[in-house]
Amino acid sequence: MGDKMSGLFITFEGSDGTGKSTQAALLANLLKNKGFEVICTREPGGNQISEKIREIIISKENDKMNKMTEALLYAAARAQLVNEVIAPMLMEGNVVVCERFLDSSVVYQGYARGIGENIINDINKYAVNGIVPDITFLLTLPPDIGINRKKNQQELDRIESSELNFHKRVFKGYMALAEQNKDRIKVIDANRDIDEIACEIADYIEKLIKERSFKNGFKNFRS
Ligand code: TMP
């Protein structure tokens, strides 16, 4: 499927509280202002069915959820988002900016919950349908800072309320994944000014689009 996809698929990854939503929205706006057709979405969620699955996953009522049930629910939410939103947009040559994708399952369920990367990739094979992000921004913050930031903003959900050791494993998992996928995953220090981070991300995107001559190129980018 990947070969027929002419669009650009950008994902944001990172522990909870690292500022993914802010940066995804800023990048989507920047690209829209440059004339691209852009959709900014999130996982789990991004459409009616996947948002319902999200509620089941993150609800604190479901504290008995088995880790395999959790992994399968994330994959189910992903399958719906890919088919309903991501694949059609990419097929038309447009831009998709997505908060979290398969890397989140590899790290949270595969690594931090201990299911293993291979099983997570197997489960998700039919959900992602061959789609791989063109570029992934991994926003990094020490795990305690991220989770404290979240705590100050809102009540923590079922996953966010996990013990600090879980969040530390998530952080370690992300760093290992970035090391294995240096070409695709760009590690971004999120302990900085919002604008400074946005500028670094914009520079990567400018380079990528120039390289690929995406649509009409990006001659006017940041002019
Ligand atoms: P969010 O708060 O970033 O929207 O994501 C909800 C929670 O779900 C967050 O704690 C990360 C977690 N998550 C997984 O554990 N596996 C996944 O595959 C995804 C997409 C999210």
Side-chain angles (χ1 to χ4, degrees):
M1 199 170 196
D3 289 351
K4 289 186 223 127
M5 299 279 173
S6 55
L8 190 65
F9 186 27
I10 304 163
T11 59
F12 281 84
E13 292 285 350
S15 304
D16 300 277
T18 48
K20 293 180 296 300
S21 309
T22 307
Q23 291 300 331
L26 285 172
L27 179 62
N29 272 338
L30 179 75
L31 292 171
K32 274 182 202 162
N33 289 338
K34 297 295 170 189
F36 290 93
E37 189 76 36
V38 185
I39 190 155
C40 191
T41 188
R42 69 166 180 181
E43 272 217 82
N47 64 84
Q48 209 184 356
I49 295 170
S50 305
E51 288 291 336
K52 284 188 177 164
I53 300 173
R54 177 189 177 94
E55 281 169 29
I56 298 172
I57 299 173
I58 68 175
S59 166
K60 278 185 169 170
E61 273 177 26
N62 295 328
D63 58 350
K64 289 197 185 71
M65 189 178 292
N66 173 267
K67 63 184 178 187
M68 190 55 77
T69 310
E70 183 183 281
L72 289 164
L73 284 173
Y74 279 115
R78 184 163 298 129
Q80 188 64 32
L81 185 69
V82 164
N83 281 285
E84 195 175 321
V85 179
I86 298 177
M89 280 293 283
L90 296 179
M91 287 285 215
E92 300 215 334
N94 297 318
V95 180
V96 176
V97 177
C98 192
E99 265 179 70
R100 302 191 179 279
F101 196 59
L102 176 57
D103 293 331
S104 283
S105 282
V106 168
V107 167
Y108 281 76
Q109 283 66 53
Y111 189 82
R113 293 264 193 251
I115 293 178
E117 184 175 348
N118 290 345
I119 294 178
I120 294 302
N121 281 323
D122 285 350
I123 289 172
N124 278 278
K125 195 170 155 201
Y126 300 100
V128 301
N129 213 357
I131 294 178
V132 180
D134 293 288
I135 190 163
T136 298
F137 296 106
L138 171 57
L139 304 189
T140 61
L141 266 186
D144 51 331
I145 297 186
I147 213 66
N148 281 332
R149 258 197 201 176
K150 261 266 146 109
K151 244 186 230 164
N152 294 333
Q153 290 163 2
Q154 64 195 59
E155 200 196 330
L156 299 183
D157 66 34
R158 188 177 66 84
I159 314 284
E160 289 158 354
S161 326
S162 304
E163 42 161 16
L164 185 59
N165 269 342
F166 176 79
H167 295 292
K168 286 185 178 164
R169 287 199 296 279
V170 167
F171 181 78
K172 250 179 114 177
Y174 268 129
M175 297 317 284
L177 198 65
E179 191 58 34
Q180 292 158 21
N181 294 275
K182 280 192 179 143
D183 281 351
R184 174 174 65 86
I185 302 181
K186 310 298 174 197
V187 180
I188 307 282
D189 174 7
N191 208 2
R192 290 179 296 162
D193 227 48
I194 289 177
D195 292 342
E196 208 180 308
I197 299 169
C199 257
E200 191 182 350
I201 290 170
D203 282 345
Y204 274 117
I205 293 295
E206 179 182 22
K207 264 190 229 133
L208 181 67
I209 291 179
K210 272 186 187 152
E211 264 168 36
R212 306 244 176 134
S213 310
F214 181 67
K215 281 200 164 168
N216 304 321
F218 225 23
K219 286 194 201 99
N220 299 322
F221 191 69
R222 294 171 79 196
S223 61

